[in-house]
Structures are given as C-alpha cells and as structure tokens.
C-alpha cells in the first residue's frame, strides 16, 4: 500500500480521530478566548501570533503525552463512564497546569495583562471543549447504534462484512438483504484482493479495500461477523484470509468450496471455520480411474478396516471400484460394524464381508485367504498409540511385527497380486517402540518384495487430521469440556494430511508397480501444534465467548519434537513422482533378517520386555530405547 494511502487509513481509527479533534479544539479555544474579549482587536493576533502558535503546540504536546500516560486515547468512549471522565478531567488538569507553568517561565510576556487573560481563558475553553467532544461522541455513537436495531423487535442488527466481490459474494449479499427481517444482519462493506474493484459497489454495498485492510476496519466499525465468500479460492489463499480475519474479534464464517449458484440459499450454506481450514494445505486429488479399474472383479482384504485409514480405503473402493467382494477385518467389533453399515447403506450391491479377529493368529488368517481367494491386501491394522506402546512393548511387537509377517507370508503363499502396508513417519529414526516396530514391518515387506511374485509395497506418511487418537479430536473434546487444552510443547511440529487425501495417494501408489516398494506421501510443511491449538481456542472463544486455557505438559513417553519422512542415509535414495516420493533402498540379507524375527516368534512366550527391546535394537540400526518407560510391578 502506498505511504500516502496508509497514512489516511490510519487516520480512520478512533484514536486518530480523537487526536485530530483535540488539536482543533485547542485552535478553536484560541479564537474563542480572543473573540469573547470585548477589547479584541486583530492587532492582538498579529503582534503575538508566534507566541500563541508555540503556546498551542506546547499545550498539544503536553496533552498528548499526559493523555497517553492516563490512557485516555485507549479508552472506549462509546460507553459513558464516570471513571473515564474522572481520568479525563485529571489528565486535563495536569496537562493545562504543566503547559501554563512552563510557558510562563519561557514567555515573560505572558505576564502582560492581555496575554495573561487570553491564556487563562484559552485553557478554560480547551478544557471544556475536550470534555464536551467526548460526550458528543457518546451521543452520536449511541444515536447510530439505535439505528442498528430492528423496529418493534428490540433486536440488534449485526454488522457484517463480506470478503469476495465475485458471483458468490453478490448472491450472498442479496440473500442477506432479502432476509434481513429474519436474520437481523446487515452487510456494511465488502473486501476483495482485486484492488481495481476498490470503491466500486456490489449490490449497493461499497468495496472498501483488500483483505489486509479488514482488521482495522473491523476494530473501527465494530463489525460482528465476517463472511468469506470465495468458494473458488485455493486452500493457501483461504488460510491466509482466515488468519487475517482471526486477528479480529469478529466471528468468521466461510462458504464451502463448491456451491451451486442457481438455487441460491448461500446464506444457509455458510459454516464455521474448522480444523481443515486451519491446515491451509492444497488438497491433492489424483486420477484413480486406472487403479479402480484394476480392482474390477477382485476380492480385496482390508485389515484394520474399522480404523481411520482402513475405513476410508473401504469407502473409496466401495464408491468407485466394481470389486467382487470387500473383506473387512478388524479386532474391534464396534468400529468395523459402523463402516459395514455405512457401506451397505450407500452401496447396496457391494458384497461386504466383515470378520472379527487378530492378525497375530496365523491359522485364522490362512482360513480367510483360502476361503475368500484374496487378490489384493491393504494392511492398515497396527497398534499406533505411541505412549501406550511404551508400556505394552511385547504386545506392540507381536501385533505389528508378527501380524505383518503373517499377512505377508500368506499373501506370498496364496499368490496375492498386490500387498500394501500403511506405515508411519515414526518409523524413520525411531525413538519409541511403535516407530521401531513399524520400521521392522517396512523391512519385512521389503524382504518379501525381493523374493516374491506378489508386488509388496509400503506407503509412509505422517498424521491425518481427525483420526482416532489424533490431536484435533482431543483438542475439540478438551475445548468443549472447558479446557485446559494440553500441548506437549510450544515448538512441537507434526506433518498433517486429510484422511481422504492420504488414502487417495495410497491408492495411487498401487499404479507404480515398477518404481519400488516404499512410497512416501508429500506431506507439505510440518504444522506447529501449539499454533493450531491456539487457533482452535480462538475460534471457540469467538463462537461462545468462553475462554479456554492452553497448558504445556512436556513431551510424552517416546515422543519426538519433530518427525521425519526420510532417513537420509546411504541406504535410501529419494525420487519424486507426482505428489509422492519413492524411497529406493538397498537389498538386505533377508534370510538373516527374517531369521531373527522368526526365532523371536518361536521364543515369544519366554521373552521378557528387555529381550524384545534388544531384538528391536538389533533389527533397527540406530534405535536405542529409553527403558525408563518400561512397565514396573506394583
């Protein structure tokens, strides 16, 4: 923004207006004090002009400094308060006494009768005019405020600004105008980043500036709500606009990304800002037609089908692929039953088979492969909760490592076409049991891919928004319960992706059968968890007026401050393809590696926690476990 324009924008603030009005009050007082003198002659000003000018400037400087000390310019004069007037009176007395004392010492001529009388009257007039100006502001503001009530309903009209001077903004404004009697809202201004639209009118409402001008305008005009009406904007632009709007005290609502303009009713489609908006990530939507076509007439097994990732895999396959059957396997009956009901309701012709059981039971799994003639496996089942696995080390090892090995072995034995395992960024340079077990699982898949006709692959990515046990649902629950919101550190960062987006890329990786066995999703830049929590708390405060505290708890068992997507060692080279990476790894001695795992499976009943940790430290180079988290006897 040009400096001149920026200067005039600053003049629009309430504080700047009071400063200017106070200065003019001093000038007016100078004339009134002379005019009301019966002996007034124009020669009085001509002879003493420079002294009067210096006196007024000194008075203004003293008054400005003392007013800031008393915080007069920071006070809200829209409400008449006795305390405010007492402070204003005291500030005026101090400033007038100070300027009179200093000026009397500097300008000896003030002792002359004409200048002395003038200065006394000037100080009295300026004292009264500044007091009166504050009272007039109160009267004018409340007169305007009364206009903001619907006649006969005693209902305050909320002041709205709309961001977006396009088609959606136009329809939204017209709807609000037509529904004013129902909605008690009035659009007072529009903002748009296209500066050529500034000072034009849309549906009778002026476009007053760009998005960066919103915070000052909201503060100056007392805006209640902000409506973002740019459904075509990119995710990055929406995030920028939302962050700008969140600097204000106004409640923020947004139109969804896709709207149909023909039927109108955009007002009722407005929604509150959610955590997906806070992510600010451009959602990736790959072309999956080739992948879904390859699933035609196939029997697909999804382990962990009731979980966040497993259930979304089932949704996307059920909605887009003409599979022969979709077999849902999970040890938790409640979650897998929910996805079964959902799939049957949305896709009545889809053959859904739901099985309850553990992936650690080899014979149970073999019955499934033999009976259903599985063609494709999506392995999403795992124990994933980092702190819990620190206290349940043997169970984490058995479920994650043995479960993966069981499934991989059966996929190879029964000539499954493709086997895909969901991995995690916690498997990279792991510091916890969960991450270490998933690192072993990646190597197990690599070993089978080296020696099998079945195509084995892993897809590694970070956190997904909204998954069970992730921070967002936890934060939401803590906020709804009144807090505090618990964050491990102000500096902790995590990679985030939306669940549907992550699963789409997981499915897309199935089309790169010749690229390798480890794919890493492009997660963008890591997100600061504390900042995300702060934004969620701010949104809740604007909606309810209730404050929620954020409490720093410190890192939990096994947690790292930041996660990594790649190991960055000589054994792993990275290649970028579309919206993901392929991590190409050197072949390993699979006989030796798998021998360690098979031996531990044979001896598992006799192994204690320390034995399991030693196995993991042998299987995962560089992994050293802090044994202080090991479960102790009572």
């Amino acid at each position: 923004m040009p400096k001149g324009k920026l200067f005039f924008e600053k003049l629009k603030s309430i504080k700047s207006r009071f400063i200017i009005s106070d200065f003019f009050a001093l000038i007016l007082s100078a004339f009134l004090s002379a005019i009301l003198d019966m002996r007034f002659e124009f020669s009085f000003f001509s002879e003493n002009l420079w002294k009067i000018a210096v006196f007024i400037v000194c008075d203004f400087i003293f008054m400005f400094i003392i007013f800031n000390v008393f915080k007069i310019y920071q006070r809200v004069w829209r409400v008449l308060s006795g305390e405010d007037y007492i402070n204003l009176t005291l500030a005026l007395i101090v400033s007038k006494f100070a300027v009179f004392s200093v000026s009397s010492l500097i300008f000896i001529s003030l002792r002359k009768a004409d200048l002395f009388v003038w200065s006394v009257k000037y100080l009295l007039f300026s004292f009264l005019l500044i007091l009166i100006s504050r009272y007039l502001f109160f009267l004018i503001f409340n007169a305007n405020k009364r206009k903001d009530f619907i006649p006969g309903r005693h209902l305050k009209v909320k002041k709205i600004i709309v961001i977006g001077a396009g088609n959606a903004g136009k329809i939204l404004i017209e709807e609000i105008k037509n529904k004013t009697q129902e909605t008690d809202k009035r659009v007072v201004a529009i903002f748009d980043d296209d500066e050529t639209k500034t000072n034009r009118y849309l549906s009778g409402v002026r476009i007053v500036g760009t998005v960066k001008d919103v915070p000052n305008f909201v503060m100056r005009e007392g805006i209640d709500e902000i409506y973002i009406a740019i459904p075509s904007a990119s995710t990055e632009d929406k995030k920028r606009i939302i962050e700008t709007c969140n600097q204000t005290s106004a409640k923020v609502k947004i139109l969804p990304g896709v709207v149909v303009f023909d039927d109108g009713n955009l007002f009722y489609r407005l929604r509150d800002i959610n955590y997906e908006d806070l992510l600010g990530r451009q959602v990736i939507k790959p072309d999956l037609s080739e992948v879904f076509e390859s699933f035609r007439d196939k029997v697909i097994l999804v382990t962990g089908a009731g979980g966040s990732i497993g259930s979304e895999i089932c949704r996307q396959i059920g909605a887009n692929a003409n599979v022969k059957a979709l077999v849902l396997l999970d040890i938790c009956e409640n979650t897998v039953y929910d996805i079964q009901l959902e799939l049957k309701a949305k896709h009545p012709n889809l053959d859904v088979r739901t099985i309850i059981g553990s992936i650690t039971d080899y014979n149970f799994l073999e019955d499934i492969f033999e009976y259903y003639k599985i063609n494709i496996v999506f392995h999403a089942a795992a124990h994933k909760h980092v702190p819990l696995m620190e206290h349940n080390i043997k169970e984490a090892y058995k479920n994650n490592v043995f479960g993966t090995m069981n499934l991989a072995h059966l996929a190879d034995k029964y000539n499954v076409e493709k086997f895909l395992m969901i991995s995690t960024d916690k498997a990279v340079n792991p510091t916890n049991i969960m991450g270490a077990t998933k690192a072993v699982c990646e190597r197990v898949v690599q070993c089978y891919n080296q020696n099998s006709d079945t195509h084995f692959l892993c897809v590694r990515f970070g956190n997904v928004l909204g998954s069970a046990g992730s921070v967002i649902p936890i934060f939401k629950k803590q906020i709804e319960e009144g807090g505090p919101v618990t964050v491990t550190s102000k500096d902790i960062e995590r990679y985030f992706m939306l669940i549907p987006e992550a699963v789409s890329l997981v499915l897309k990786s199935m089309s790169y059968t010749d690229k390798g066995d480890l794919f890493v999703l492009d997660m963008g830049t890591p997100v600061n968890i504390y900042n995300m929590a702060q934004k969620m708390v701010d949104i809740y405060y604007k909606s309810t007026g209730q404050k929620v505290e954020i409490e720093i708890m410190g890192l939990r068992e096994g947690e790292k401050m930041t996660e990594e997507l790649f190991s960055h060692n000589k054994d792993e080279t990275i290649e970028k393809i579309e919206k993901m990476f392929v991590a190409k790894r050197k072949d390993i001695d699979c006989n030796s590696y798998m021998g360690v795992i098979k031996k531990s499976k044979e001896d598992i009943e006799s192994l204690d926690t320390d034995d399991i940790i030693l196995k993991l430290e042998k299987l995962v180079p560089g992994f050293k476990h802090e044994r202080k988290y090991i479960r102790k006897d009572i």
Side-chain angles (χ1 to χ4, degrees):
M1 182 183 292
K3 290 184 178 180
K5 186 176 180 181
L6 182 63
F7 172 75
F8 284 107
E9 283 296 319
K10 288 182 178 179
L11 290 183
K12 293 179 182 179
S13 71
I14 297 295
K15 178 178 178 179
S16 300
R17 290 176 180 178
F18 273 130
I19 292 172
I20 293 171
S21 70
D22 289 345
F23 182 73
F24 280 105
L26 300 184
I27 295 175
L28 180 60
S29 299
F31 281 98
L32 288 175
S33 59
I35 291 171
L36 294 179
D37 191 337
M38 298 302 294
R39 297 173 297 153
F40 170 73
E41 295 179 357
F42 283 104
S43 58
F44 173 80
F45 274 107
S46 61
E47 293 172 3
N48 302 287
L49 183 61
W50 74 271
K51 294 178 182 178
I52 292 172
V54 171
F55 189 84
I56 294 173
V57 170
C58 289
D59 186 20
F60 179 74
I61 292 172
F62 273 103
M63 186 175 69
F64 181 80
I65 294 171
I66 293 169
F67 272 25
N68 276 287
V69 171
F70 279 80
K71 300 188 183 305
I72 300 301
Y73 289 127
Q74 284 73 37
R75 294 180 181 273
V76 180
W77 293 95
R78 295 167 178 169
V79 181
L80 194 61
S81 164
E83 181 186 351
D84 290 337
Y85 260 87
I86 290 171
N87 278 287
L88 177 60
T89 303
L90 290 173
L92 283 169
I93 291 171
V94 172
S95 66
K96 299 306 175 186
F97 178 79
V99 71
F100 186 76
S101 301
V102 172
S103 298
S104 297
L105 293 173
I106 297 174
F107 304 113
I108 305 300
S109 55
L110 280 178
R111 295 174 182 172
K112 294 181 179 179
D114 53 354
L115 274 176
F116 181 80
V117 171
W118 172 86
S119 65
V120 172
K121 287 191 291 184
Y122 161 82
L123 293 173
L124 289 173
F125 272 121
S126 62
F127 186 96
L128 292 172
L129 285 176
I130 290 172
L131 283 175
I132 292 170
S133 70
R134 296 305 191 275
Y135 185 70
L136 287 175
F137 174 80
F138 166 76
L139 292 177
I140 294 170
F141 173 78
N142 281 276
N144 288 330
K145 190 175 179 182
R146 283 192 290 272
K147 294 177 184 177
D148 289 336
F149 282 82
I150 299 175
R153 294 178 63 188
H154 305 289
L155 190 63
K156 184 180 184 300
V157 177
K158 292 181 180 178
K159 293 182 179 180
I160 311 297
I161 63 172
V162 171
I163 297 179
N167 197 18
K170 183 176 186 296
I171 295 173
L172 180 61
I173 293 167
E174 290 173 353
E175 284 185 13
I176 294 172
K177 283 185 174 181
N178 294 333
K179 296 178 174 67
T180 297
Q181 294 302 316
E182 304 172 26
T183 62
D184 63 312
K185 300 177 188 295
R186 178 162 59 90
V187 179
V188 299
I190 304 170
F191 292 82
D192 195 287
D193 276 337
D194 184 352
E195 293 187 0
T196 62
K197 295 181 180 180
T198 301
N199 292 322
R200 294 183 183 179
Y201 284 81
L202 183 69
S203 296
V205 182
R206 189 165 74 94
I207 303 168
V208 301
T210 60
V211 173
K212 60 186 175 183
D213 302 320
V214 167
N216 284 336
F217 187 88
V218 170
M219 182 179 66
R220 184 173 72 245
E221 301 297 333
I223 301 301
D224 298 294
E225 295 182 358
I226 302 171
Y227 295 162
I228 302 172
I230 318 176
S232 61
S234 67
T235 309
E236 291 87 350
D237 283 339
K238 285 181 182 177
K239 180 190 177 187
R240 173 180 56 83
I241 294 169
I242 289 168
E243 288 182 344
T244 301
C245 294
N246 279 341
Q247 297 173 19
T248 72
S249 59
K251 185 176 181 179
V252 185
K253 288 181 175 288
I254 188 170
L255 279 176
V258 178
V259 294
V260 180
F261 298 119
D262 295 337
D263 62 356
N265 295 324
L266 295 194
F267 175 74
Y268 297 106
R269 299 190 185 195
L270 287 164
R271 61 166 174 79
D272 292 333
I273 303 300
N274 59 32
Y275 56 79
E276 295 180 7
D277 300 313
L278 300 178
L279 179 62
R281 173 186 170 85
Q282 186 65 48
V283 176
I284 301 167
K285 296 180 179 179
D287 179 9
L288 297 175
S289 56
E290 181 183 340
V291 175
F292 289 132
E293 182 59 31
S294 71
F295 293 165
R296 180 182 292 274
D297 297 326
K298 301 294 174 62
V299 179
I300 298 179
L301 170 67
V302 181
T303 73
S308 303
I309 298 299
S311 61
E312 182 61 25
I313 291 173
C314 295
R315 288 188 189 94
Q316 294 198 25
I317 292 175
N320 299 284
N322 294 314
V323 299
K324 184 176 181 180
L326 187 59
V327 181
L328 282 55
L329 172 62
D330 206 301
I331 198 169
C332 179
E333 59 181 305
N334 295 326
T335 55
V336 76
Y337 181 63
D338 289 340
I339 187 62
Q340 173 193 284
L341 290 179
E342 180 184 331
L343 291 171
K344 287 186 174 181
K346 291 182 178 179
H347 315 291
N349 297 324
L350 178 65
D351 187 356
V352 179
R353 309 295 179 92
T354 305
I355 303 172
I356 306 300
S358 171
I359 59 174
T360 62
D361 187 337
Y362 180 86
N363 293 328
F364 161 75
L365 289 178
E366 185 163 26
D367 286 342
I368 295 172
F369 277 83
E370 185 176 9
Y371 182 81
Y372 289 106
K373 305 296 187 291
I374 304 296
N375 301 116
I376 297 170
V377 176
F378 286 94
H379 175 34
H383 286 327
K384 305 181 183 74
H385 197 287
V386 171
L388 280 181
M389 293 309 103
E390 292 299 299
H391 297 282
N392 295 274
I393 293 173
K394 182 181 281 193
E395 180 60 27
Y397 186 78
K398 288 166 59 178
N399 187 78
N400 293 356
V401 177
F402 295 163
T404 299
M405 186 174 69
N406 288 342
L407 287 162
H409 181 77
L410 290 167
D412 176 54
K413 179 178 178 179
Y414 286 90
N415 298 313
V416 168
E417 295 175 21
K418 295 179 182 179
F419 178 102
L420 184 148
M421 187 195 82
I422 303 297
S423 189
T424 170
D425 55 358
K426 293 172 179 62
V428 181
N429 301 321
T431 59
N432 53 67
I433 294 297
M434 194 281 277
T437 58
K438 293 299 283 185
V440 174
C441 292
E442 287 187 357
R443 290 299 189 182
V444 169
V445 171
Q446 181 185 1
C447 282
Y448 275 95
N449 193 55
Q450 288 177 200
N451 301 285
S452 174
D453 292 332
T454 299
H455 181 68
F456 287 85
L457 67 151
C458 294
V459 179
R460 180 195 293 166
F461 54 92
N463 299 274
V464 286
L465 284 173
S467 65
S470 68
V471 293
I472 300 299
I474 292 172
F475 287 169
K476 287 179 70 176
K477 186 173 186 293
Q478 290 175 334
I479 289 171
E480 289 166 0
E481 292 175 350
V485 173
T486 55
V487 181
T488 53
S489 168
K490 285 191 175 183
D491 300 317
I492 195 166
E493 293 181 332
R494 290 291 182 266
Y495 288 98
F496 280 100
M497 183 177 277
L498 302 179
I499 294 174
E501 177 188 12
V503 169
S504 294
L505 290 174
V506 166
L507 293 169
K508 183 65 176 177
S509 68
M510 297 284 271
S511 63
Y512 300 115
T513 55
D514 59 334
K515 292 292 185 180
D517 58 38
L518 177 60
F519 294 83
V520 183
L521 301 189
D522 183 357
M523 301 291 294
T525 55
V527 176
N528 183 283
I529 301 299
Y530 180 84
N531 290 344
M532 178 175 283
Q534 187 64 62
K535 290 174 183 177
M536 292 181 70
V537 167
D538 290 344
I539 290 172
Y540 182 76
Y541 175 71
K542 289 180 182 180
S543 301
T544 65
Q546 299 177 23
K547 291 186 177 181
V548 176
E549 299 298 324
I550 298 178
E551 186 175 338
I552 306 299
M553 303 295 291
L555 288 176
R556 298 180 302 172
E557 298 99 316
E559 281 191 325
K560 291 195 289 186
M561 192 67 73
T562 57
E563 299 289 0
E564 305 162 89
L565 293 173
F566 308 102
S567 60
H568 300 292
N569 58 33
K570 295 179 180 179
D571 295 331
E572 194 173 277
T573 58
I574 310 301
E575 177 191 350
K576 181 72 182 288
I577 52 170
E578 292 192 30
K579 300 299 182 181
M580 63 184 81
F581 302 88
V582 180
K584 296 184 177 180
R585 299 175 294 185
K586 292 181 180 179
D587 289 349
I588 61 175
D589 182 355
C590 290
N591 289 331
S592 174
Y593 196 85
M594 295 301 295
V596 174
I597 299 174
K598 289 175 182 177
K599 184 67 168 65
S600 67
K601 187 175 182 182
E602 294 171 1
D603 302 336
I604 190 63
E605 297 305 323
S606 62
L607 298 179
D608 61 18
T609 298
D610 277 320
D611 295 328
I612 299 295
I613 293 173
L614 289 172
K615 295 287 184 186
L616 286 171
E617 290 177 343
K618 183 177 181 180
L619 292 166
V620 184
F623 174 61
K624 294 294 179 184
H625 187 258
E626 292 188 39
R627 286 166 170 77
K628 64 181 179 180
Y629 299 127
I630 294 175
R631 185 172 57 191
K632 297 179 175 62
D633 292 335
I634 296 175

